[in-house]
């Protein structure tokens, strides 16, 4: 099994990186948290032009019909730059769900619009995703309950540890859009893609936080030399780096098999690695890293929120356990 | 319209660049190699012209094996095909030899209506290739363009130099070199990157092009680097304490430097 990226995927990652490097993402994230979505939407349209929003949509529905490996490549970079918005929902979960139900007109008609990045989507799916992210911006708000799919409207808004994550309760509409075992199957598959995209996003967030910490350790001096030259600091950063490096092949492996327990292993490993990288970054930055004014806070809070999103640690550990028991 | 864009792979501007100890040519292994930014702008300009009408964009590159990465990038942005001249004999060639090789490479394809280039590469910084090429191909040159437009069989360009703006016009075919302000190059999209895999790249050696090997390479260059030293680190400046007479001290300093 080949777990390193091919040249084309590296190029795709470089393209997204170049776009986001030039886009002042932290400013857009702060604006997003404050209710001004224009800068964030501009970034999302830039990503759409690169094809990011079309990855999970088949070609016959106006998308690119890319592989899960392409999706995780994109999400790693999105995480690295702490891009705000309902990314997993609009780019991974809902497109996959609607592709699975593309014989339902209500679902199929959204696919080209999702692929082009013209609209955002969000989802509520009990029990793991009880609140819909950025539901007020979503043109389509899916409410998935077992074998039943309906749409919904946003209700009360709730806070998140990550101020750029604006969660909403959802009022389901009366009409059922699709019903039956096909809905359950499509929902299950979409969940795997969503959880995997979230894992890749966490991997990127950890990488981003670590990079900031490494830069800070080289620039900040104490006792007459850069703090990065002290072993205690170096070791923390090295440990965080190793954690991220070891989580990466799990993401790539799960992108190939898409088996439940491997997706869970990836999500769990990425959550742990990102959490460790975030904590190391916080320690290395000292008191300044703790302030909401410092950009690091955008990464720290998003890591914290995504660790619990798309299934928390206990859920995913449980799936790894039962999956590895069944495995031959 | 048949558009040829010249591209070059250069060491990343943000990395430390140096010359090799052995022969004082560019040490390509010491830094990351990238498609020169000014060439990205030239490719972008070619694509905009193509998209406004119709045509084909061919990328021409002279460089070692790994220059294929730079070619891939241009193809991912949307260029249609590429010509890569790759030959160890070219190592250390000067601008005259390089221009001859480029002219021969262009001659391998259909006659171009427009040749686009960057005004100068970030590594060598000679900025002479477009002019020499115009002489060799017998085409008019419109250099340092910050705006280019095609109207029928004419190309118009706004040339920007330290002296100001000049408005140039020439009949096609012509050579245009673009400057920094011309445009913002696009990022290669997923579709573009995947499509680039299937685009044709013709590779030629110097012999394939019919260029005499005795005209190219370090040994046949008209200029030679005999010695190179890294830039000395900046010396600490003079500090003047302001005790109410700061202005006078600065003025005195400027007088000693014959600046006022």
């Amino acid at each position: 099994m080949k777990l390193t990226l091919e040249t084309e995927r590296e190029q795709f990652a470089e393209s997204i990186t170049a776009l986001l490097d030039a886009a002042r993402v932290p400013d857009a994230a702060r604006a997003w948290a404050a209710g001004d979505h224009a800068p964030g939407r501009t970034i999302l349209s830039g990503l759409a032009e690169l094809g990011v929003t079309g990855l999970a949509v088949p070609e016959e529905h106006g998308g690119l019909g890319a592989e899960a490996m392409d999706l995780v490549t994109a999400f790693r970079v999105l995480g690295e730059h702490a891009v705000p918005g309902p990314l997993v929902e609009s780019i991974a979960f809902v497109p996959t769900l609607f592709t699975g139900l593309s014989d339902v007109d209500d679902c199929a008609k959204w696919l080209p619009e999702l692929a082009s990045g013209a609209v955002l989507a969000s989802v509520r799916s009990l029990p793991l995703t009880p609140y819909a992210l950025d539901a007020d911006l979503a043109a389509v708000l899916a409410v998935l309950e077992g074998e039943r799919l309906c749409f919904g409207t946003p209700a009360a808004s709730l806070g998140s540890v990550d101020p750029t994550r604006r969660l909403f309760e959802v009022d389901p509409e009366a009409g059922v859009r699709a019903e039956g075992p096909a809905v359950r199957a499509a929902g299950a598959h979409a969940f795997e893609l969503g959880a995997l995209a979230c894992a890749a996003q966490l991997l990127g967030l950890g990488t981003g936080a670590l990079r900031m910490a490494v830069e800070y350790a080289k620039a900040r001096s104490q006792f007459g030399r850069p703090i990065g030259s002290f072993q205690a600091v170096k070791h923390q950063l090295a440990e965080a780096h190793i954690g991220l490096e070891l989580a990466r092949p799990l993401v790539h492996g799960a992108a190939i098999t898409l088996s439940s327990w491997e997706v869970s292993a990836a999500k769990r490993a990425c959550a742990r690695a990102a959490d460790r990288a975030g904590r190391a970054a916080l320690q290395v930055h000292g008191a300044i890293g703790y302030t909401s004014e410092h950009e690091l806070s955008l990464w720290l809070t998003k890591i914290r929120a995504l660790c619990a999103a798309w299934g928390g640690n206990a859920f995913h550990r449980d799936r790894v356990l039962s999956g590895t028991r069944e495995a031959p | 319209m048949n558009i040829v864009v010249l591209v070059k792979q250069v060491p990343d501007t943000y990395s430390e660049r140096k010359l090799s100890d052995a022969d004082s040519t560019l040490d390509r292994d010491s830094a990351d190699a990238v498609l020169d930014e000014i060439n990205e702008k030239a490719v972008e300009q070619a694509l905009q012209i193509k998209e406004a009408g119709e045509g084909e964009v061919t990328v021409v590159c002279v460089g070692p094996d790994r220059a294929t990465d730079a070619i891939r990038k241009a193809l991912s942005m949307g260029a249609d095909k590429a010509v890569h001249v790759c030959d160890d004999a070219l190592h250390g060639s000067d601008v005259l030899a390089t221009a001859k090789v480029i002219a021969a490479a262009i001659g391998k394809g259909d006659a171009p209506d427009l040749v686009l280039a960057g005004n100068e590469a970030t590594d060598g910084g000679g900025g002479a290739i477009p002019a020499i090429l115009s002489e060799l191909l017998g085409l008019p040159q419109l250099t340092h363009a910050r705006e280019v437009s095609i109207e029928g069989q004419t190309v118009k360009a706004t040339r920007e130099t330290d002296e100001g703006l000049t408005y140039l016009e020439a009949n096609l075919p012509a050579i245009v070199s673009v400057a920094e302000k011309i445009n913002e190059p696009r990022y290669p999209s997923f579709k573009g990157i995947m499509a680039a895999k299937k685009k044709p790249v013709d590779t030629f050696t110097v012999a394939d092009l019919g260029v005499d090997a005795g005209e190219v390479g370090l040994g046949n260059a008209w200029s030679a680097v005999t010695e190179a030293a890294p830039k000395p680190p900046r010396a600490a400046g003079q500090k003047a304490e302001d005790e109410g007479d700061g202005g006078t001290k600065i003025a005195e300093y400027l007088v000693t430097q014959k600046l006022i």
Side-chain angles (χ1 to χ4, degrees):
Chain A
M1 191 181 291
K2 199 175 161 211
L3 298 183
T4 54
L5 291 184
E6 290 146 32
T7 321
E8 286 76 25
R9 295 204 169 98
E10 296 282 3
Q11 281 184 332
F12 186 43
E14 275 169 31
S15 239
I16 305 173
T17 302
L19 173 94
L20 295 176
D21 276 346
R24 305 173 57 81
V25 180
D27 293 350
R30 288 188 197 283
W32 190 277
D36 172 13
H37 306 113
R41 292 298 285 255
T42 307
I43 292 173
L44 293 176
S45 2
L47 291 168
E49 272 173 42
L50 295 190
V52 173
T53 48
L55 292 173
V57 177
E59 284 177 89
E60 64 266 31
H61 292 287
L64 295 164
E67 293 165 24
M69 192 69 95
D70 301 308
L71 199 66
V72 299
T73 303
F75 269 90
R76 177 172 53 78
V77 184
L78 296 178
E80 208 171 328
H81 290 81
V83 178
L87 304 172
V88 172
E89 291 77 0
S90 304
I91 303 173
F93 185 93
V94 175
T96 310
L97 175 69
F98 285 3
T99 300
L101 300 171
S102 59
D103 49 346
V104 179
D105 285 347
D106 275 342
C107 296
K109 71 170 185 192
W110 287 107
L111 287 171
E113 297 207 58
L114 286 167
S116 70
V119 301
L120 295 174
S122 192
V123 61
R124 185 192 82 172
S125 171
L126 295 171
L128 292 173
T129 311
Y131 306 115
L133 182 61
D134 293 308
D136 57 337
L137 301 174
V140 53
L141 180 47
V143 180
L144 187 63
E145 278 159 10
E147 297 198 341
R148 228 157 54 103
L149 171 73
C150 59
F151 290 167
T153 48
S157 95
L158 305 159
S160 161
V161 58
D162 171 6
T164 68
R165 278 175 67 84
R166 304 156 51 261
L167 297 169
F168 288 83
E169 288 182 349
V170 176
D171 288 333
E173 287 170 359
V176 174
R177 309 280 172 158
E179 205 166 9
V183 174
R184 189 184 290 280
H189 183 55
F191 177 78
E192 303 303 345
L193 262 293
L196 183 60
C198 182
Q201 203 180 351
L202 276 163
L203 182 66
L205 282 158
T207 309
L210 180 63
R211 193 182 50 222
M212 290 169 81
V214 169
E215 276 165 24
Y216 190 77
K218 288 195 271 193
R220 172 87 164 101
S221 283
Q222 193 56 271
F223 309 113
R225 49 193 181 128
I227 59 168
S229 63
F230 297 114
Q231 265 198 347
V233 174
K234 266 195 264 192
H235 285 183
Q236 279 197 47
L237 296 172
E239 296 269 337
H241 178 68
I242 291 168
L244 292 164
E245 280 299 305
L246 292 181
R248 181 196 297 257
L250 291 177
V251 172
H252 294 168
I256 293 170
T257 66
L258 285 177
S259 80
S260 298
W261 76 267
E262 287 187 65
V263 168
S264 280
K267 172 71 166 57
R268 177 68 194 109
C270 288
R272 185 146 98 168
D275 184 56
R276 178 155 56 183
R279 283 167 180 272
L282 180 56
Q283 291 294 322
V284 168
H285 277 79
I288 187 76
Y290 214 71
T291 60
S292 62
E293 285 81 0
H294 196 281
E295 282 182 7
L296 181 64
S297 68
L298 296 167
W299 275 256
L300 293 181
T301 51
K302 198 175 281 301
I303 289 172
R304 186 34 69 107
L306 289 186
C307 281
W310 301 99
N313 291 338
F315 170 83
H316 286 294
R317 289 171 74 127
D318 194 38
R319 288 211 317 174
V320 173
L321 184 63
S322 34
T324 44
R325 271 188 186 147
E326 286 160 18
Chain B
M1 169 155 337
N2 186 12
I3 307 171
V4 167
V5 188
L6 310 183
V7 302
K8 184 179 186 186
Q9 190 184 44
V10 297
D12 194 343
T13 326
Y14 299 103
S15 60
E16 196 190 341
R17 295 170 287 177
K18 52 185 185 186
L19 300 180
S20 75
D21 297 331
D23 60 4
S24 293
T25 58
L26 178 65
D27 183 355
R28 292 181 192 268
D29 293 328
S30 71
D32 285 342
V34 297
L35 171 59
D36 203 353
E37 205 180 324
I38 197 71
N39 295 151
E40 285 182 21
K41 292 174 188 246
V43 172
E44 174 65 36
Q45 197 56 39
L47 295 173
Q48 285 182 16
I49 292 170
K50 177 189 152 179
E51 282 156 7
E54 54 174 323
E56 190 177 49
V57 177
T58 308
V59 174
V60 172
C61 179
V62 177
D65 259 346
R66 71 169 180 172
T68 43
D69 292 343
I71 294 172
R72 283 280 152 226
K73 173 132 195 214
L75 293 176
S76 309
M77 288 174 71
D80 299 291
K81 57 191 173 72
V83 172
H84 182 188
V85 185
C86 181
D87 196 326
D88 289 342
L90 288 166
H91 174 80
S93 294
D94 61 6
V95 285
L96 292 168
T98 307
K100 265 182 206 160
V101 171
I102 294 172
I106 292 174
K108 276 280 178 185
D110 298 335
D113 299 300
L114 182 66
V115 178
L116 278 164
N119 56 355
E120 63 176 17
T122 49
D123 56 352
I129 292 282
I132 301 171
L133 203 55
S134 109
E135 181 69 24
L136 293 175
L137 296 176
L139 301 179
Q141 51 165 323
L142 296 76
T143 52
H144 296 271
R146 73 163 205 187
E147 246 184 280
V148 178
S149 61
I150 305 285
E151 288 165 26
Q153 280 306 300
T154 356
V155 52
K156 291 185 178 176
T158 309
R159 171 187 163 91
E160 184 178 35
T161 60
D162 292 343
E163 278 81 40
L165 300 181
T166 326
Y167 299 96
L168 307 174
E169 197 177 319
N171 286 332
L172 293 174
I175 292 181
V176 175
S177 79
V178 302
E180 218 40 52
K181 284 182 196 155
I182 186 95
N183 57 38
E184 276 304 317
R186 68 192 65 187
Y187 304 106
S189 72
F190 184 82
K191 225 177 213 170
I193 292 166
M194 291 304 162
K197 281 206 291 195
K198 298 184 190 109
K199 290 177 178 171
V201 180
D202 289 332
T203 307
F204 295 116
T205 61
V206 172
D208 294 338
L209 296 176
V211 176
D212 183 0
E215 288 183 90
V216 300
L218 188 59
N220 302 302
W222 285 79
S223 62
V225 179
T226 50
E227 205 181 345
K231 191 165 69 178
R234 262 171 74 166
Q238 263 180 44
K239 264 189 191 163
E241 288 292 328
D242 183 12
E243 290 156 356
D245 58 348
T248 320
K249 281 179 178 166
I250 290 171
E252 280 167 2
Y253 173 76
L254 292 174
V255 169
T256 63
Q257 299 296 308
K258 299 198 166 74
L259 289 168
I260 55 173

